[in-house]
Amino acid sequence: MMPLRQQLRDESDFDQLPDDVPISATIADIEEKKGFIDYFRFVIEVKTKGASKYLIYRRYREFFNLHQVLEARYSPEVPDKPGPNTIILPSLPGKVFMGVKQDIAESRIPELNTYMKGLLGLPTWFLLEEALRMFFYQTELDSKHQPLALRRLRPQTRKVKTVKPKMDLFSSPRAEAMFDFRGNDKAELNLKRGEVIFLLRRVNADWLEGTVNNQTGIFPKSFVKIIKPLPESESEGEGGAHTYSYLRCFLLTPSGVATRSAQEEVDVCVQEDLTIQPSYKELLSRMRNVFKEDDIAVNYRDPEGDLIRILDDEDVQLMIKESCVQQVNDKRPVNQFPWELHVTMTSDLSVYNTEA
C-alpha cells in the first residue's frame, strides 16, 4: 500500500498538470484506409484532465514508433533496477507479418487498450513527455475526419438494432447499369447490367460513387444510364464523404502499350489527398496489384518526354517536383495527380532513350 505522504504528493502533482494532458484513451473502432497501400487504423477516444474528449486516428506503426522513442529515453539499462528518470514501460503487442489485416487489427484492440492504460497510468511527470503528448494530440486532420462507426463505445448491455437506410425508389438519385463492370480494387463497385445503383456523389467528371447490393464504392459514369441525377449542389467532397483522387498510369510492353478493359489509359483511384508523397515501395506494390505483374519497374516521363526509372524514394520526390513545374501548362481534373506512372517489364531496357 502506498504511504499517505507519497499519495498526497502524487495527487498534488496531478492537480498541477495542464488541463489538456491526456489521462485515458480507449479504442472505439477500426477503419480501413484505402490509399496506395490499404491498411487499418484505430479510432481512439482520448479524455483529458480537463474533462474534454476527442477522437484521434492512429496506425499500429505509430504505436510502435512511439514505444521505440520512449524505450530509448526512459527504459533502465538493467530492467530490474530502475534508476532516477527511468520507467518500466508496459508491453506493446509485437508485429504480425501473416494474416488478414482486419482480423489482425481487431485482435490487437484489447492489447493496445491495455498498453495505453499502462502508459497513461505511469507517474505524473511522465505524462508531460512530449512524444507521448504528441501521440495523443488531436491534429487538424483528426478533427476534420468523421468516424464511420464507434462500435466499442456503446455500453455492453445496450442492444443496438441495425436499421438499413431506406432507399426511396422514386425520389433518390439513381442510375441503371448498361454494361457489366468489374472493379479493380475494394474502392470500386462490381456492376451487372440492369442493376439500379443509388447515387451518393460525383467523384469527378468520369466517376460516381453509389450503393448497390449493400456495397458502396465508385464506378465509371460511362457504364450507367442516369435515371435521376444528383442535385446540382452535390459537389465533390461535400457531406464528409471520402475524397478520392486518381492516378493515370500505363503498362508498356516490348510490343507496345497494353491496358485493362481495352482503355488507352488506366485510372487508379485512391483515397488520398493530391499532396501525398507515396514511397517507392508503395507505388511498386500498387502497380503490381493493378497490372497483375510482379517483375515490373515503375517510371515517369521527364520534361523532354524520356522515361526515367524510379529506384528509390528520392526518385519519387524528383518526379513529383518535376510534375509541379509541368503542371502549369497541363489541364487536368482537380482530383487527378499531376504525375503519371509508366510501368515496364524489369528486363525491358528498349523503352529508355540511351542516345548520347
Side-chain angles (χ1 to χ4, degrees):
M1 184 175 179
M2 183 182 298
L4 179 60
R5 180 180 297 178
Q6 180 66 42
Q7 181 179 346
L8 292 174
R9 180 180 175 182
D10 289 348
E11 290 176 356
S12 175
D13 290 344
F14 182 82
D15 289 340
Q16 294 178 45
L17 285 175
D19 283 346
D20 63 349
V21 169
I23 60 171
S24 72
T26 306
I27 295 175
D29 210 340
I30 60 171
E31 287 188 2
E32 186 176 16
K33 177 75 172 174
K34 299 175 181 176
F36 287 100
I37 294 292
D38 295 346
Y39 60 86
F40 282 85
R41 58 185 180 180
F42 300 94
V43 186
I44 305 169
E45 183 187 61
V46 179
K47 296 180 182 179
T48 67
K49 176 178 172 288
S52 63
K53 293 191 296 185
Y54 52 80
L55 296 176
I56 61 174
Y57 303 82
R58 299 292 182 266
R59 298 178 63 175
Y60 171 80
R61 183 170 67 185
E62 293 170 283
F63 279 94
F64 185 82
N65 292 341
L66 170 68
H67 191 75
Q68 285 192 313
V69 170
L70 298 180
E71 270 193 327
R73 292 180 183 175
Y74 298 106
S75 287
E77 293 184 6
V78 181
D80 296 335
K81 297 180 179 180
N85 300 321
T86 63
I87 271 184
I88 304 297
L89 296 169
S91 298
L92 178 72
K95 291 184 177 181
V96 178
F97 299 98
M98 298 291 290
V100 180
K101 291 181 179 179
Q102 183 173 358
D103 294 343
I104 294 171
E106 289 280 5
S107 66
R108 277 178 169 157
I109 291 177
E111 294 174 303
L112 289 178
N113 276 333
T114 301
Y115 177 74
M116 291 189 293
K117 182 178 180 180
L119 279 183
L120 298 177
L122 290 171
T124 303
W125 61 266
F126 181 76
L127 299 182
L128 295 174
E129 157 61 37
E130 181 182 5
L132 186 71
R133 295 187 67 180
M134 289 305 298
F135 178 84
F136 289 107
Y137 176 74
Q138 187 184 45
T139 66
E140 185 178 357
L141 288 176
D142 289 333
S143 63
K144 289 182 177 179
H145 184 75
Q146 294 296 320
L148 301 178
L150 298 173
R151 296 171 300 153
R152 292 178 175 267
L153 290 189
R154 297 175 180 141
Q156 296 292 328
T157 56
R158 177 183 170 192
K159 292 184 178 180
V160 180
K161 183 179 179 181
T162 302
V163 180
K164 293 182 180 179
K166 280 191 174 182
M167 294 293 186
D168 188 337
L169 190 60
F170 300 102
S171 63
S172 299
R174 59 198 185 279
E176 180 184 351
M178 303 302 293
F179 312 96
D180 291 350
F181 174 73
R182 185 174 182 178
N184 181 56
D185 54 33
K186 294 180 181 178
E188 299 178 7
L189 278 180
N190 292 321
L191 302 179
K192 291 185 178 179
R193 181 179 178 181
E195 287 183 328
V196 174
I197 308 101
F198 291 94
L199 305 178
L200 299 177
R201 70 182 184 102
R202 302 181 185 90
V203 177
N204 57 41
D206 302 315
W207 288 75
L208 298 168
E209 184 177 30
T211 298
V212 65
N213 297 327
N214 293 321
Q215 299 294 320
T216 298
I218 59 177
F219 56 92
K221 184 178 178 181
S222 59
F223 276 68
V224 302
K225 177 179 71 175
I226 303 298
I227 300 173
K228 181 172 182 178
L230 288 160
E232 289 299 322
S233 59
E234 177 67 29
S235 60
E236 186 178 327
E238 286 185 352
H242 293 307
T243 298
Y244 287 96
S245 305
Y246 70 94
L247 170 66
R248 185 150 292 167
C249 54
F250 307 84
L251 174 64
L252 283 73
T253 63
S255 58
V257 179
T259 59
R260 292 180 299 110
S261 305
Q263 298 178 24
E264 188 176 352
E265 302 101 0
V266 177
D267 290 337
V268 179
C269 293
V270 293
Q271 190 184 319
E272 297 280 12
D273 188 81
L274 291 178
T275 59
I276 190 73
Q277 181 173 301
S279 69
Y280 165 67
K281 287 184 178 180
E282 289 173 338
L283 289 180
L284 183 62
S285 175
R286 189 59 188 261
M287 291 301 100
R288 284 172 171 167
N289 182 56
V290 168
F291 293 110
K292 310 303 180 188
E293 295 280 355
D294 290 329
D295 192 21
I296 60 173
V298 287
N299 311 265
Y300 71 95
R301 291 198 182 277
D302 66 9
E304 287 72 39
D306 294 329
L307 279 184
I308 306 297
R309 180 171 289 195
I310 300 172
L311 299 174
D312 53 33
D313 291 344
E314 289 186 5
D315 290 340
V316 176
Q317 292 177 12
L318 181 61
M319 172 186 69
I320 294 175
K321 183 178 180 180
E322 290 188 359
S323 71
C324 292
V325 176
Q326 299 177 55
Q327 189 179 10
V328 177
N329 300 320
D330 288 347
K331 292 184 178 180
R332 296 174 180 266
V334 293
N335 63 334
Q336 180 181 342
F337 283 96
W339 40 276
E340 298 175 344
L341 290 181
H342 297 261
V343 178
T344 61
M345 299 296 105
T346 304
S347 59
D348 182 16
L349 303 180
S350 65
V351 295
Y352 302 107
N353 183 2
T354 55
E355 295 181 4

